[in-house]
Amino acid sequence: MIHSARQARPTSTLRRTASATPSFNTTAADFSRQFDFQHLLNSPLPSPALPSILPRHGKKPARRPIRKAARIFARLSTYLSAFAILYAFLSLVRHLLSSPTSLEIISVNLNEYNLAGQEPASQEAAPVVITDSHHKPKWTVAIPLDAQFPLRPSQYARLCERSEDLVQQLHASTIHSHFHMRPTESRRTAMGFVDVQEAHDQGLLASPSAAEAQLDAGSIAVGKAVTAQSNNKAGICEKSLTFVMETADAGLGKTLLGLWMAFGLAREEGRAFFIDDSNWAYGEYTTFFKPPPIPLCRPPPPTQRLPCPHQTRHLVISTTTYQWVFRDLIEPLTYDRQPHNQATRKHRAFSLARAGHEALFHLAGADADYLAARVAELHPPGSQGSLSIGLHVRRGDRHPWERQYSDSYIPHSTYSSTAQALITAALSSANNTAPLSATDQAHSSTPRILLASDDPETYLAPEFISTTERAQAQIQLASKATLDAALPNPGPQAAPSDQDPAFIKFVEPNVGWEGGFFASIFWGLGNAAEGRAAARGLREERPKKAPNKESLRLREYVGRAYLLDLKVLGSTSSVVCGVSSFGCRILGVMKGWDEIEGGGWSNVDGGYAGWVGFVEDD
C-alpha cells in the first residue's frame, strides 16, 4: 500500500540531504539508482510545515462561523449608525428651516385671548393655534365676525393651504419630526383639529353668540335660492355642507359636476345640504333649476362654516377646494390607456355625482316644457325601436388630452365615424331580435343623429351638415355673421351738431361664438371692458360692481342653452363625446354606469380611457 501510494505521487517534495542532491554531471544510471524505492524508504519523514503526502480521510475541520458573523454584524452596525446620524442631522436641519413663525398664523391661548366676544387679532380668516386645558397645542380656523359670507374662492383655497402648512409645522414643533404632507393625505390634515363650536364650548375661542344674536334671519340664510324657504324657527343643523356656486371659471360644467358630487357627499355623511348662489356669475340658481330639497334645520353661523378639514362639522365646498374635499377621488392625468388604481375611486366619484344628478338636475320654467316636448318627439310614447345618437363636440378653450390633438381639436370625422359604427352595430343587433311592430319599424328605420356644440360653425361642417340635426333649437349660440345679418353694426357715429365735430362715437362690433366657448367672450357679454380685462388676465375675482342686467340676461341664455343641450343628448340611445370636456363627463353621469360599460357612452378622446370625474389638471 505504501509503495503504490508513493509511486502515484513521485513528484512530492521531500527534505533532501546534501548527499541526495544530484549533480548535473551524473549519468542516467546513477540518477535512477539515487531515486529508487530504497532511497524513498530511508528518507526522513515529511516536514510538518509541508503538505502531507498522504490523502486526507474523514470530515474536514470545522470553520469558525461565529467569528465571521461577528464581523458582518459589526460592519452592519457601523453602516446603520452612520445612517442614523445622517438622518438625525437632516431632520434637525429641516426642523430648523421650518419654523412655525414663518406662517404668520395667530397663536391663541387662554392668557392672551380676550373671551369677551372680541374678534381675533387678525382681520382675515386664518388657521390659529390654541392651547387646551392640558397645555397641548391644537388648531382651528378663526373667521372674523364681520367677514362677508361667502368668502372669495381664493380665500377658501388659501385657508386650506395654510391649514396644511400649520399642521406640518405644529407636529414638527411638538414631536420633533417633519411630515411631508401631500394633497392626498387627508387624515393628517385633521390631526389636532378642534371644531369651532367645540372651541367655543371649551372656552378656547371667544364665543360670538352675543354678536350673532343681533343678526337678522335673512343674513344667515344660505343663498337667494333658499332664503324665502328657510325655516327660521328651526334649530341650527348638527352637521351641514354648503356649496358655493361662485367661481372664477366662466364654464358651467365644472361647477355643475362639483355640485352633484357635493350633494352626494352630504347625503353619504348625513349632512344638511345648502346652496349659495349670492355671487354666481350666471345669476340665481332657480333661474335654471327647480329649488333643491330644503333641510329641516337652519344653516350655521358664518364663523362655523369652514372649507377644511373635511372632518369639520359645517363644511363649505367651492370649485377652488375640490382638491381637498375630493382629494381621494381626483385621478392623476396620464396618457396611459389604463391608469393604475382607479376602479374604486371612479365608482365612488360616479355614485356621488349620480346621487346629485337625480336630486338636483331638474330644469325650471319654459325650458322644462320644451325639454319634455323634444324628448317626446325623439321617443314617441309606446315606441321601443327608436334609435338616436347624440354628438357633443367641444371646442373653444378646452382642448383634448390626446397628445396629437392637445393643441387643436378632435377631428369631426372621428365623431361621425363613431356614430355610424354605433348605428351599424345597433341595426345588426336589431336584426337578430324578434320582429318589431309597424310603428317601431318606422321609427327604427331612420336613426337620428343629434349634434350639440359650443361652436356655431360646427353645425355647418361637411361631416355634419347633411347627416345631423341640432339637439335643441330653443336657444342657439350665434356666430358673428349671423349677428351682423340680424343686427348690422352701423360703425363709428358722427358727432351730434351740438358737440365737437372731431368727436366720433365708437360702437363695439358684434362678437360671435366662432371657435367655441372662451372665457373672455363670456365675461365680455354686455360689458366689453370686462371681457378685455379677462383676455389679459386682469379681471378681478369678485368685481366691486355687480354685473348689469344685460350681462346677466346674456349669461343666462348661455347657461340655459348648455343645460338644454345636455338634457336632450342625455335622452338619446347613445352619446359620443370627448371626456376631456366636463359636458362629456356629465353626460356619462346622466347615462348611468351600466350604459357606460354597455356602449351607451363613447369617449373619442384617446388621451384617457373611460369615464372620469375630476383629474389633477382640472
Side-chain angles (χ1 to χ4, degrees):
M1 295 294 293
I2 297 177
H3 288 277
S4 63
R6 293 181 178 177
Q7 286 178 355
R9 301 182 62 180
T11 58
S12 298
T13 304
L14 302 177
R15 186 184 302 272
R16 298 175 181 175
T17 60
S19 60
T21 303
S23 173
F24 288 100
N25 297 324
T26 306
T27 62
D30 297 333
F31 184 82
S32 61
R33 186 169 50 253
Q34 293 177 3
F35 287 92
D36 58 3
F37 292 106
Q38 188 65 28
H39 171 75
L40 293 176
L41 290 173
N42 296 330
S43 62
L45 293 176
S47 173
L50 297 176
S52 174
I53 62 175
L54 298 177
R56 294 179 177 267
H57 297 280
K59 296 183 179 180
K60 296 182 180 180
R63 298 181 180 178
R64 299 181 178 179
I66 299 179
R67 181 178 299 177
K68 184 177 181 180
R71 288 198 301 267
I72 295 175
F73 179 77
R75 292 180 182 178
L76 184 61
S77 300
T78 303
Y79 295 151
L80 291 177
S81 300
F83 177 79
I85 294 174
L86 179 61
Y87 180 80
F89 175 76
L90 294 178
S91 300
L92 179 62
V93 172
R94 288 183 299 185
H95 173 70
L96 295 177
L97 293 179
S98 60
S99 174
T101 57
S102 62
L103 274 178
E104 299 182 358
I105 60 175
I106 308 171
S107 181
V108 183
N109 57 46
L110 295 179
N111 296 327
E112 298 175 357
Y113 197 80
N114 189 344
L115 298 180
Q118 296 182 359
E119 297 179 7
S122 173
Q123 297 302 316
E124 181 183 0
V128 299
V129 177
I130 56 179
T131 305
D132 61 10
S133 57
H134 301 286
H135 302 287
K136 293 182 179 180
K138 304 287 185 180
W139 73 280
T140 187
V141 177
I143 299 179
L145 300 180
D146 59 351
Q148 181 183 2
F149 183 86
L151 302 178
R152 293 190 301 273
S154 61
Q155 289 180 289
Y156 284 130
R158 188 163 58 251
L159 266 177
C160 293
E161 292 174 353
R162 297 178 67 182
S163 297
E164 283 195 336
D165 293 340
L166 173 59
V167 173
Q168 280 188 345
Q169 300 185 13
L170 185 63
H171 283 271
S173 62
T174 55
I175 62 176
H176 305 288
S177 63
H178 190 80
F179 291 106
H180 290 283
M181 294 183 60
R182 299 174 296 175
T184 56
E185 296 175 337
S186 57
R187 294 184 178 180
R188 286 186 182 177
T189 308
M191 295 176 63
F193 173 75
V194 178
D195 193 80
V196 176
Q197 182 61 47
E198 296 177 1
H200 291 163
D201 296 341
Q202 298 175 16
L204 302 178
L205 282 180
S207 177
S209 56
E212 288 180 4
Q214 302 176 3
L215 298 176
D216 58 352
S219 63
I220 61 174
V222 180
K224 302 175 184 177
V226 296
T227 299
Q229 305 178 34
S230 298
N231 187 359
N232 296 325
K233 296 182 180 180
I236 295 178
C237 302
E238 182 69 20
K239 295 171 61 179
S240 69
L241 190 155
T242 303
F243 186 86
V244 177
M245 301 289 288
E246 180 185 9
T247 175
D249 298 327
L252 182 56
K254 184 177 182 179
T255 303
L256 187 60
L257 184 59
L259 172 67
W260 293 355
M261 293 182 64
F263 180 89
L265 182 65
R267 174 176 291 182
E268 182 182 86
E269 298 180 350
R271 297 175 181 264
F273 184 74
F274 298 96
I275 298 175
D276 181 271
D277 61 353
S278 55
N279 296 296
W280 191 27
Y282 284 83
E284 297 185 11
Y285 180 88
T286 51
T287 302
F288 307 90
F289 309 102
K290 294 181 180 179
I294 305 301
L296 300 178
C297 54
R298 286 189 301 141
T303 55
Q304 297 184 20
R305 294 191 283 242
L306 309 180
C308 55
H310 189 154
Q311 292 76 7
T312 184
R313 183 176 300 178
H314 302 290
L315 184 64
V316 175
I317 297 181
S318 171
T319 55
T320 58
T321 62
Y322 288 171
Q323 60 176 314
W324 287 279
V325 179
F326 303 125
R327 61 178 56 189
D328 296 332
L329 304 178
I330 295 178
E331 302 287 350
L333 180 57
T334 65
Y335 291 96
D336 299 331
R337 287 286 180 174
Q338 290 293 338
H340 302 289
N341 302 326
Q342 288 189 333
T344 303
R345 289 181 295 183
K346 277 189 177 183
H347 280 279
R348 183 165 183 267
F350 185 90
S351 63
L352 294 179
R354 181 69 180 181
H357 159 261
E358 294 175 349
L360 303 177
F361 200 25
H362 305 290
L363 300 186
D367 293 342
D369 299 335
Y370 175 84
L371 175 65
R374 180 60 168 159
V375 173
E377 177 192 354
L378 294 174
H379 306 283
S383 65
Q384 299 179 357
S386 58
L387 176 62
S388 58
I389 306 296
L391 304 182
H392 181 266
V393 181
R394 177 69 161 94
R395 316 295 264 187
D397 52 12
R398 195 70 180 181
H399 293 279
W401 290 334
E402 190 169 354
R403 287 186 176 180
Q404 61 177 331
Y405 303 124
S406 59
D407 294 328
S408 57
Y409 305 102
I410 299 173
H412 294 155
S413 58
T414 303
Y415 291 91
S416 60
S417 61
T418 304
Q420 292 298 330
L422 290 174
I423 293 175
T424 302
L427 294 179
S428 62
S429 176
N431 293 333
N432 298 328
T433 59
L436 301 176
S437 63
T439 304
D440 293 340
Q441 289 179 2
H443 291 288
S444 63
S445 60
T446 56
R448 305 174 69 173
I449 302 179
L450 309 183
L451 175 63
S453 177
D454 58 335
D455 184 0
E457 295 182 343
T458 300
Y459 299 97
L460 304 177
E463 296 86 352
F464 302 137
I465 190 170
S466 60
T467 58
T468 65
E469 58 181 294
R470 288 180 179 267
Q472 55 88 21
Q474 177 84 336
I475 305 174
Q476 303 176 16
L477 299 182
S479 62
K480 186 178 185 301
T482 303
L483 293 176
D484 290 341
L487 300 171
N489 189 341
Q493 301 293 311
S497 57
D498 58 343
Q499 294 185 8
D500 184 0
F503 175 80
I504 298 178
K505 181 180 179 181
F506 178 75
V507 179
E508 291 285 349
N510 293 323
V511 178
W513 293 95
E514 292 89 352
F517 183 94
F518 289 92
S520 58
I521 299 179
F522 175 82
W523 296 120
L525 293 174
N527 190 341
E530 187 173 356
R532 289 191 294 269
R536 295 193 297 267
L538 302 177
R539 181 183 177 275
E540 297 180 6
E541 181 182 22
R542 184 185 291 176
K544 297 179 180 178
K545 294 183 179 180
N548 55 53
K549 292 183 179 180
E550 180 65 12
S551 294
L552 280 179
R553 185 179 69 87
L554 296 176
R555 293 178 185 180
E556 288 176 0
Y557 280 136
V558 174
R560 290 171 58 196
Y562 178 77
L563 297 175
L564 276 173
D565 284 339
L566 294 179
K567 273 290 192 179
V568 175
L569 292 182
S571 66
T572 58
S573 305
S574 299
V575 175
V576 179
C577 56
V579 74
S580 54
S581 70
F582 281 102
C584 185
R585 306 178 211 179
I586 291 174
L587 287 170
V589 176
M590 296 173 64
K591 297 297 292 183
W593 191 260
D594 293 338
E595 288 289 329
I596 292 177
E597 294 185 336
W601 178 89
S602 300
N603 169 37
V604 295
D605 189 346
Y608 201 92
W611 182 89
V612 67
F614 290 111
V615 298
E616 293 177 349
D617 288 1
D618 284 336

